Amino acid sequence: MSDTWRIFFLVVMSMLTFQCASVPLEEDFRARWSQTLLTDNESANTEAEIKFGREVAARMLADIDGVENFEIQKYVNTLGNYLAQYSARPDLQFYFWVIESDAINAYAMPGGYIFITSAAYRLLENEAELAGVLAHEIAHVKQKHIVHALDIKAVGAGATLTQLTSGASDAFRVAMNQASEQAVALLKKDGLHQEDEYEADEIGLTIMVQAGYEPDAYLRFLQRVAMVSARQLEEVTQTHPSFASRLTALEAVKRDYGMNNLNYAQLPERFNQFKLE
Amino acid sequence: MKNMSVLLLGFLLSVVSYAETLYVHSSKAVLLTDRDFSSGTVALLQKGDAVTVLQRQTRWVEVEFNAQQGWVSVLLLKATPPSGIVSVIGSDDVNLEGDARMRASAVATAGATRGLVEEGGAQSMGFDFSELHQLETMVVTDQELDMFSQPVLGGGQ
Amino acid sequence: MRIKLFFLLSSAFASTLLSADELHNINQIVGDRSIGMAGAYGAVSDDPSGMVYNPAGIAFANAASMSANVNTLQWSQITYKDALQETFDYQRSAYQVLPNFFGVVQPFGDVMVGFSSAIVDSNQEKQDQVFDNLQGIERFTVNFHNIDTIYNVGPTVARKFSQKLAIGFSLPLHYRSSEYISNQSVVFEESNSDNLRWTNVYKKISEQGVRPKLGVLVVPIEKLSIGLTVDKTLVLNARQSRQASQCYTNDTDIGCSDQQNPSIEKTTLKPNYPIQVRVAGAWFPNSALLVSADFIHNSAVSSTTAFPGKEATYDAAVGLEWYWSPRWALRSGAYTSMANTPELNDLATNQSAHVDRYGATVSVARFSQGSSISLGVIGLYGQGKSQLFGSIPGLLQKTTSIDVNVFFTTSYRY
């Protein structure tokens, strides 16, 4: 008995000594190699992302309708898919939809569903500007901004997206319902984190440049948007950082990436064939 | 003794270091002479190409590919080879083929999922799945993309 | 010879209340990863299996919710060399399928909560032997069955105070159920004045209690984890009963002359269990390799009128886990299971068996995104001595025990 306690106290004491002399830890050394399976871009995660995106898209479409012009929708989809080739998300099929709305805005839902409002579309002057807007939204999808903002982990701790979309129980179905409702609120009212918007601007710009579009077109479009009436901008200013700060950041991106004086394509003629009346 | 040798073997194997390989995830990626889009082109990489990392900078990676060296945007590369397009459309059943991870419970609840997601088609419960289906018909073929890209890559105003 | 066999039988009849695997403190190796690592898990412990080894460990679980499930198919054999007339062996063996472990963990705020059910000790022995060629005896038949199982079922809570310190506590219920049946019949040869002797013993034990366990896990230096636990089984309620009957006939007494009507003994005295202290270390050099070692000390238990004492034991386990890809891992380990009984001597009577055992295990695990399965085997071998017929000093049997367990484990994380 006394032997047992002696061993116990000896160990406790030596552990406490260790504890004091310890160094700060950087990463979780306990994580085993198998855990990389959780974070790899596996099809189950992508499936969950798509299912969730469809749910959010269907919710958005309950309030807003698409523009009834097949040629324009086809054109936007072709441009969008051309850009998406440079998104490094080969696992996703992207869909683009011009929706009837007076608000100047565009929305990216998880899984590759992207909407642009008719008001925003009308403000565009060439294909490169449209490419800039779509590339910005593609970047949101690529970075899974909504999923992260809602704190739904596609992987790892907490309720996972895979779990929510599995419909495995009533609880998950309710949670999924709430999550898609929150996603809509995020898109239309609350907005993403400011840093997510800056990130999407940066990544969007590289996507459009890799695809061969003039990056300045996107900056010019943002400047034009900043001029329009406050009413139409209510949603976009509520959900995005100020135009001035975004433009400053974009100039820095252009400089860092060597995007000045590229003189890339803008294609106003082709865009004009698909003008929205 | 035997245990010791197993231990040693495991340790040695795990310590061996490999040159880091990344894979191109965009359909094309330009290998540039410098960390700058206005610099010259060394080569045009295709989706799935494996490149060896030489060094990393904030937004750029210097890589070697087919004995050529150059810089690629870090956004276009990933550590795992690119997968094919994942689709849940058409069958919103849980995909069981080729997915050994899927649990039995997923099979059992596939019907339930369907019930939730596409229930009653149109405007039920604040969802519009019929319009979603309409937009999902907007699939662009590779040929269309190829034709579409011509004037863009032709450059100029 | 005749005298000797008499003794044999009467002493078997009079055996103590001690039941089978109380003779070792390390019995079943439970848990998912832990079983593959021979129970060297007190400093790893970061999944449901950890609740049994070190409750503090679950605070470091790497997914919010995890569950683990283990089933084993066990074969055991114990041979008592030259048990009868210094020629014939006693051999007891058994197969059993055991749901070795089930556990889940789930966070509640800052606290990790878990529930586990483990069979920490299970022993089964079956003997079904007929001896036709003993001297002076026409036929000696032995039927013996002993099954003794201890369950630990209950909750665990753990809290991480920093990345370097966690404390956990588990309070499983202790439930033990044991049954023992022994039937022996001797038909003597005609030349013998004895005719027949028959004995039957039935024993039953049930215990309820708790097994509080306190665990600490610290990380003194990067990649090294140290665990410490202390626990003790407290029996709150115990019931043991023993029925024995026998019948003996010879030429002068026909019928059961030396008849003993079923004698029934009962006791509600509570047995005492040792304090267990586990000191464990684990080294995580990289994400593919993990090496761990546990040192397990069980205190001595002094004897009482109803129960024999136990000696202190010092056991050790070492384990290794190696991933050769994110999808495949090899686990291996070795452990000891030392007897908590004194060495046998030639003068004493009613001595318990003393068999030190050594085990080794190897398994292969396959991982997918949210789950893993593993398949493996444990071998356990020991040699020592027994005194099957406790009243005869100096009559000891060389005893060999062999156990082979095949185990299948599954775990989920989500």
Side-chain angles (χ1 to χ4, degrees), chain C residues 172-185:
Chain C
L173 292 176
H174 159 91
Y175 174 68
R176 177 177 174 202
S177 162
S178 170
E179 272 185 304
Y180 169 111
I181 282 181
S182 173
N183 258 308
Q184 300 186 348
S185 108

Side-chain angles (χ1 to χ4, degrees), chain C residues 11 27 42 45-46 65 69 75 107 123 138 143 145 176 245 247 266 279 291 297 317 360 366-367 387 394:
Chain C
S11 57
N27 297 301
S45 219
D46 52 5
S65 306
N69 204 333
W75 175 80
N123 190 69
E138 200 173 296
N143 285 306
H145 186 196
R176 177 177 174 202
S245 38
C247 177
K266 282 189 175 169
V279 185
V291 185
H297 166 61
R366 154 105 186 156
F367 296 84
Q387 189 172 28

